[in-house]
C-alpha cells in the first residue's frame, strides 16, 4: 500500500498485522521491561553491597595473649581485694557485734536469754519465709519477686551471721567477741541456739502451708477453667 496523492496514510489492512511486532516502538514485546541502553542481564548479576562491613580479621596470637593477661590481672586484683576485705571484717565485725550485744544485755542473764532467743528466732524465721516466697514466685515478672525476696532473706539473716562469726570464728576478733559475751552477755548464745532451732521448725511449717495454699489455688483455677469450658463450649 502507498499513500494517496493528498498525503493521507494508507488504509489499514488486517492481513498485514504481525502480533509479534511492536508497531509503536518497533521493538519486541519483551523489550517493554527494559530501558534503551540498559543491559537486560544486568539485574541477574550479583551486586556489591557497599554498606556491608569488611570481614573481621582473625585475632593474632599476641593480641589474644594480651587480652587474656589483662583479664587475668583484673580478676587477681578483685580476688585480692575480696580476701583483704574478708580478713579485715573477720577481725572487726565479731568484736563490734559482741560489743553491741553487751551494751544491750549489760551483764543480766535474763536479758541475755530474752535478747538471744528473740533475735535468733526472727532472724531465722524471716529468711526461711522469704526464701520460700522467692521459690514459689519464681519465673514471674522477669524474676523480680525472686530477687527481691532473696535480698530480704540475706538482710534478715545478717544478725545471725554475725553471731555465727563469733561462735564459729577462729580469728582474734572472734575470740575477743567470745570473751565479751562471756562477761557481759551471759545466756545470749545458748538462748540464740534454741531460738534458731525453734524458728527453723516453725519456718518449715509456714513454708508447707504456703506451698499447700498455692497448690490448692492452682487446682481451683483449673477447675474453674474446666467448668467455664463446659458452660460455654466453642
Amino acid at each position: 500500500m502507498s499513500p494517496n496523492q493528498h498525503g493521507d496514510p494508507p488504509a489499514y489492512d488486517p492481513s498485514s498485522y504481525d502480533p509479534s511486532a511492536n508497531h509503536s516502538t518497533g521493538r519486541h514485546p519483551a523489550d517493554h521491561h527494559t530501558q534503551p541502553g540498559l543491559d537486560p542481564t544486568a539485574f541477574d548479576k550479583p551486586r556489591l553491597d557497599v554498606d556491608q562491613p569488611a570481614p573481621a580479621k582473625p585475632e593474632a596470637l599476641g593480641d589474644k595473649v594480651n587480652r587474656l593477661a589483662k583479664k587475668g590481672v583484673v580478676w587477681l586484683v578483685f580476688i585480692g581485694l575480696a580476701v583483704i576485705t574478708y580478713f579485715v571484717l573477720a577481725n572487726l565485725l565479731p568484736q563490734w557485734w559482741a560489743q553491741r550485744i553487751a551494751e544491750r544485755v549489760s551483764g543480766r542473764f535474763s536479758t541475755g536469754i530474752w535478747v538471744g532467743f528473740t533475735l535468733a528466732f526472727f532472724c531465722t524465721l524471716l529468711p526461711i519465709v522469704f526464701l520460700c516466697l522467692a521459690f514459689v514466685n519464681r519465673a514471674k515478672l522477669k524474676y523480680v519477686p525472686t530477687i527481691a525476696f532473696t535480698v530480704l532473706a540475706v538482710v534478715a539473716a545478717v544478725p545471725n551471721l554475725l553471731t555465727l562469726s563469733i561462735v564459729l570464728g577462729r580469728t582474734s576478733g572472734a575470740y575477743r567477741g567470745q570473751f565479751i559475751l562471756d562477761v557481759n552477755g551471759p545466756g545470749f548464745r545458748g538462748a540464740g541456739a534454741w531460738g534458731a532451732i525453734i524458728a527453723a521448725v516453725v519456718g518449715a511449717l509456714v513454708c508447707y502451708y504456703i506451698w499447700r495454699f498455692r497448690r490448692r489455688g492452682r487446682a481451683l483455677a483449673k477447675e474453674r477453667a474446666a467448668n467455664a469450658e463446659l458452660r460455654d463450649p466453642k
Side-chain angles (χ1 to χ4, degrees):
M1 293 181 290
S2 60
N4 54 22
Q5 296 177 355
H6 299 284
D8 295 333
Y12 172 71
D13 185 4
S15 63
S16 63
Y17 174 73
D18 185 3
S20 63
N22 190 329
H23 297 279
S24 61
T25 61
R27 297 197 304 268
H28 192 274
D31 295 337
H32 282 292
H33 300 286
T34 61
Q35 298 178 2
L38 183 64
D39 185 6
T41 62
F43 296 98
D44 300 331
K45 296 178 181 180
R47 295 184 301 173
L48 179 61
D49 191 356
V50 295
D51 297 332
Q52 183 178 3
K57 296 181 179 180
E59 186 178 13
L61 180 60
D63 296 338
K64 186 175 182 180
V65 171
N66 291 334
R67 179 171 55 83
L68 294 177
K70 291 179 181 179
K71 287 186 177 181
V73 170
V74 172
W75 277 106
L76 287 176
V77 171
F78 176 77
I79 294 173
L81 291 176
V83 171
I84 294 173
T85 303
Y86 167 77
F87 281 108
V88 171
L89 295 179
N91 281 280
L92 295 180
L93 287 180
Q95 182 178 356
W96 174 83
W97 181 244
Q99 291 173 348
R100 302 289 80 74
I101 298 300
E103 292 174 359
R104 180 68 181 83
V105 175
S106 301
R108 294 188 295 269
F109 190 78
S110 59
T111 305
I113 293 176
W114 171 251
V115 172
F117 182 87
T118 304
L119 191 63
F121 180 85
F122 286 104
C123 292
T124 302
L125 177 62
L126 291 178
I128 293 175
V129 174
F130 286 146
L131 290 177
C132 179
L133 293 175
F135 178 78
V136 299
N137 289 285
R138 65 189 185 280
K140 288 185 177 181
L141 299 176
K142 296 182 179 181
Y143 296 96
V144 172
T146 298
I147 296 174
F149 283 122
T150 303
V151 172
L152 289 175
V154 173
V155 172
V158 167
N160 275 354
L161 295 177
L162 292 174
T163 303
L164 286 177
S165 69
I166 298 174
V167 176
L168 303 178
R170 293 296 178 266
T171 63
S172 58
Y175 290 136
R176 288 192 294 269
Q178 293 173 9
F179 178 77
I180 292 173
L181 290 182
D182 289 338
V183 176
N184 297 319
F188 176 82
R189 284 175 288 179
W194 281 106
I197 294 173
I198 296 174
V201 176
V202 175
L205 293 175
V206 172
C207 291
Y208 169 75
Y209 280 108
I210 291 175
W211 171 79
R212 186 177 178 181
F213 176 78
R214 294 295 297 270
R215 184 181 179 185
R216 179 60 178 169
R218 288 193 296 266
L220 290 176
K222 291 180 180 179
E223 185 177 352
R224 293 194 197 99
N227 293 335
E229 290 181 357
L230 292 177
R231 289 194 301 267
D232 301 324
K234 294 183 180 179

